Every structure is written in structure tokens, then in C-alpha cells.
Amino acid sequence: MLISKKMNSAINQQVGNEFGASLQYVAIAAHFANEGLTALAAHFYEQAEEERDHAMRFVRYLVDAGGRVEIPAIASPRATFKNAADAVRLALNHELTVTNQINQLVELAIKESDHITNNMLSWFVKEQLEEVSSMDNLLKVVQRAGESNLIHVEDYLTRLHAKTARMVAEAKDES
Ligand code: FEO
């Protein structure tokens, strides 16, 4: 096995954290879908998929490193929200918590001189910067629009996703 027992168990914990984030985002997406806010719902369903991918990235790493995959129990996500800002703030706090968890994993890897795990974690460190920054932006847009003008948030997300899709298509054409 390429990693310590302690690192194995910390990564298993993170698999649970990432699946937990995925479930929380499904709950937020469903809340927005119930409110008829389809772009917000689609955005959070997509975030939920990304969190699942993060969990699977850790699972595959454990398998590659010869560790044991033991997924911990995952707490129920919160299902009710006072308003849109409340739901997006919860998501932002979740991202900040995950950033902290990733930092702790990096610290453990450094302490154990585990360069292989540290190298794998650098992808997550970069990803967290992107995720915290985009969730922070979304919260600002939601707060600026206000609860009665969430249609502006829907427009913002529709434009954002169209731009992302265009950039992905252009990157594919260039490769
Ligand atoms: Fe997997 Fe958004 O952190």
C-alpha cells in the first residue's frame, strides 16, 4: 500500500464529505426546481454531479494506491431553505468547509512526506479556489437581485452556462 492507514482513513472520510456535498446540492436543486427556478435548479444539479465526481476521484485514488475503500455514513442534507440566498449561502459555507478539509489532507500528506497523495490533492486545491469563488459570485448576484427579482439570477446563470458551453466547444476544436 502506497499510503498510511491514517491517510487511507482520512481519504475515506473525504469520500463521505464529497458525497455529502453532492446530496446537499441535490436538495438545493430540488428546492429551486419546486420554486420554478429552472436555471438555478440545473446549476445545482450540475454541482451535485461534480461533487460525485470528486468523491469518485478519491475512490479511484484509494484503489490505485492499494488502500481500502470504506465509505462512512452520510448525514441527511438540509431540505428546507428560508429563501434563495439562504440556500446559496449554505452551499458557499459547504465549499469553505470542504476547502478546509482539503487543506487538512494536504497538511497530513506533508507531515507524512507523502508526495504521491500531496500531488493528487493539488488538483483539489485548485478546484476549491474555483468553486469557492464561483459560489461567492452567485451569492452576490442572488443578494443583489433580491428575492422578488430572481429572474435576473436565472438570466445570469443561463448566460454563464452558454458561455461555458461555448468555451468547452472552442477548446475541443483547438485540440
Ligand atoms: Fe468537492 Fe465543491 O468540493
Side-chain angles (χ1 to χ4, degrees):
M1 178 155 98
L2 279 170
I3 55 174
S4 71
K5 280 214 164 90
K6 195 170 175 189
M7 180 60 82
N8 189 343
S9 134
I11 292 177
N12 272 322
Q13 210 53 51
Q14 194 57 27
V15 171
N17 293 337
E18 302 285 349
F19 276 130
S22 179
L23 292 186
Q24 185 59 72
Y25 289 169
V26 170
I28 292 175
H31 163 77
F32 284 131
N34 278 342
E35 300 283 310
L37 296 161
T38 51
L40 273 158
H43 182 74
F44 276 94
Y45 280 130
E46 200 173 287
Q47 296 304 307
E49 278 301 304
E50 281 191 19
E51 296 304 339
R52 186 186 178 281
D53 287 348
H54 295 173
M56 291 307 297
R57 208 175 249 263
F58 279 117
V59 166
R60 281 192 296 272
Y61 178 71
L62 276 183
V63 172
D64 286 348
R68 276 195 75 81
V69 175
E70 287 172 12
I71 301 170
I74 294 158
S76 305
R78 210 172 105 197
T80 53
F81 309 94
K82 282 203 291 275
N83 49 40
D86 181 35
V88 178
R89 195 175 301 109
L90 179 73
L92 175 60
N93 286 339
H94 228 78
E95 290 301 337
L96 291 169
T97 302
V98 170
T99 302
N100 200 22
Q101 290 159 347
I102 299 288
N103 284 341
Q104 282 173 18
L105 283 172
V106 171
E107 274 166 35
L108 180 61
I110 291 169
K111 198 168 144 218
E112 295 189 347
S113 301
D114 179 351
H115 300 292
I116 298 179
T117 301
N118 197 8
N119 185 47
M120 177 275 292
L121 288 169
S122 60
W123 183 90
F124 284 93
V125 171
K126 208 169 138 221
E127 178 75 0
Q128 282 315 118
L129 172 63
E130 197 274 318
E131 298 219 314
V132 169
S133 149
S134 64
M135 203 60 84
D136 191 47
N137 265 339
L138 181 59
L139 180 59
K140 283 179 186 147
V141 173
V142 167
Q143 284 171 328
R144 201 170 304 136
E147 286 303 309
S148 50
N149 279 312
L150 289 173
I151 196 72
H152 293 314
V153 182
E154 291 283 287
D155 286 348
Y156 163 80
L157 284 174
T158 305
R159 272 185 279 119
L160 186 73
H161 283 278
K163 188 177 163 207
T164 309
R166 238 186 357 259
M167 280 162 61
V168 170
E170 279 167 12
K172 254 191 202 152
D173 285 348
E174 281 164 17
S175 63

